[in-house]
Amino acid sequence: MVKIVIDAGHGGSDSGAAYNGRLEKNDTLRLALDIGKILSDHGIDVSYTRTTDIYHSPYEKAMIGNNAGADLFISIHRNAAQKPNTGTGIETLVYADRGVAAQLARNINNELETTGYRNRGVIERPELTVLKRTTMPAVIVEAGFLNNNSDNQLFDTKLDQIAQAIANGILATLGIETPKPQKLYRVQVGAYKNSDYANRLANRLKSDGFQAFVAYRDGYYRVQAGAFTNLDNAVSLEQQLRRAGYDTFITS
């Protein structure tokens, strides 16, 4: 049986990045546990470096993975830019951009891009302990920027999809097939090159009572609302938005 160790970055006295009261260690734990549940449902033997708010050093985490005899080590983190709302997107870190770890990183990034995050690529970080000291292929997934409002909105509204995307990337690397995602219909209200414009429109929609979010794709920040498997529901939401004075179209 394939064994995977999932590391929820930081923990305990080490909060990781912080932004407006939000702590990286809490987001990473939520996401790590959700990923583990999905992998377990696919018959993977999953263990964790932590399941509660406790601290282990990076070296201790690497040793947990080694002692477990894991086939893969997945560390979940969230990024942070020096200035809030200047960095956006996902990236995956590897010791060296080659072999299984590099393929795993690309599979995860490609899946995460479908959730609306900008794909910043695979980055070599050979100095990081959990990548350097683990004896199995290991990656660090940076699941969006903690100090970016749009990235946080995606994280909060699409946590299940983000966990599924990371799990799908792992399963694809292992050669395990996953069900094709359901087609979802969304109502798009605007698309901008500038994230500030997109965020302003999303905030306006929210103030009008609509559940809006910003998704980055193909160089544009797309302001959208809803995620329906039934086209009629998307049409109904589009009509409400048009009555409220918004220009819209339905996308999938």
Side-chain angles (χ1 to χ4, degrees):
M1 179 182 289
V2 175
K3 184 160 193 174
I4 293 177
V5 169
I6 301 179
D7 167 43
H10 307 285
S13 59
D14 176 12
S15 298
Y19 178 61
N20 291 340
R22 186 175 192 135
L23 303 179
E24 182 181 1
K25 67 175 183 177
N26 296 332
D27 283 2
T28 61
L29 183 58
R30 290 168 60 200
L31 183 53
L33 294 175
D34 284 357
I35 296 165
K37 173 65 166 57
I38 295 168
L39 294 175
S40 295
D41 290 344
H42 281 81
I44 305 294
D45 183 2
V46 176
S47 59
Y48 305 88
T49 60
R50 69 181 180 99
T51 57
T52 58
D53 186 19
I54 60 172
Y55 174 76
H56 294 299
S57 71
Y59 179 80
E60 289 172 327
K61 291 183 173 189
M63 292 306 104
I64 289 171
N66 293 344
N67 293 336
D71 297 287
L72 298 173
F73 184 96
I74 316 294
S75 186
I76 304 300
H77 284 255
R78 298 205 63 205
N79 219 332
Q82 188 171 4
K83 183 179 178 182
N85 294 305
T86 58
T88 182
I90 55 90
E91 60 192 33
T92 299
L93 314 181
V94 295
Y95 179 81
D97 191 2
R98 62 175 181 267
V100 174
Q103 186 59 56
L104 172 61
R106 282 181 172 78
N107 287 342
I108 290 172
N109 283 357
N110 290 341
E111 291 287 340
L112 280 171
E113 190 173 6
T114 68
T115 69
Y117 278 116
R118 175 186 175 191
N119 186 347
R120 297 167 57 93
V122 177
I123 299 172
E124 290 187 341
R125 293 292 302 274
E127 78 282 5
L128 297 179
T129 300
V130 296
L131 301 178
K132 180 169 63 175
R133 296 299 184 185
T134 43
T135 57
M136 74 293 296
V139 298
I140 295 175
V141 181
E142 297 279 8
F145 280 70
L146 187 86
N147 60 351
N148 181 288
N149 294 332
S150 295
D151 281 13
N152 284 340
Q153 186 177 36
L154 272 176
F155 189 92
D156 293 336
T157 59
K158 295 189 174 183
L159 183 63
D160 291 346
Q161 294 175 53
I162 292 166
Q164 185 68 61
I166 295 172
N168 286 349
I170 296 167
L171 293 168
T173 306
L174 296 171
I176 299 173
E177 291 188 7
T178 55
K180 291 184 178 180
Q182 273 188 310
K183 186 173 186 177
L184 294 175
Y185 298 97
R186 299 182 176 91
V187 182
Q188 186 159 305
V189 187
Y192 302 92
K193 287 282 191 179
N194 187 307
S195 63
D196 289 340
Y197 295 153
N199 287 327
R200 286 174 198 164
L201 179 56
N203 289 334
R204 180 182 154 202
L205 283 160
K206 289 177 191 174
S207 68
D208 285 344
F210 297 102
Q211 294 295 318
F213 57 89
V214 178
Y216 182 88
R217 184 165 298 168
D218 300 328
Y220 286 90
Y221 297 91
R222 303 171 187 273
V223 184
Q224 299 178 339
F228 305 104
T229 56
N230 188 312
L231 178 58
D232 290 341
N233 292 335
V235 170
S236 176
L237 177 59
E238 183 185 34
Q239 291 171 346
Q240 293 177 51
L241 286 162
R242 284 184 178 275
R243 286 195 295 269
Y246 293 99
D247 293 326
T248 66
F249 70 91
I250 294 175
T251 185
S252 63

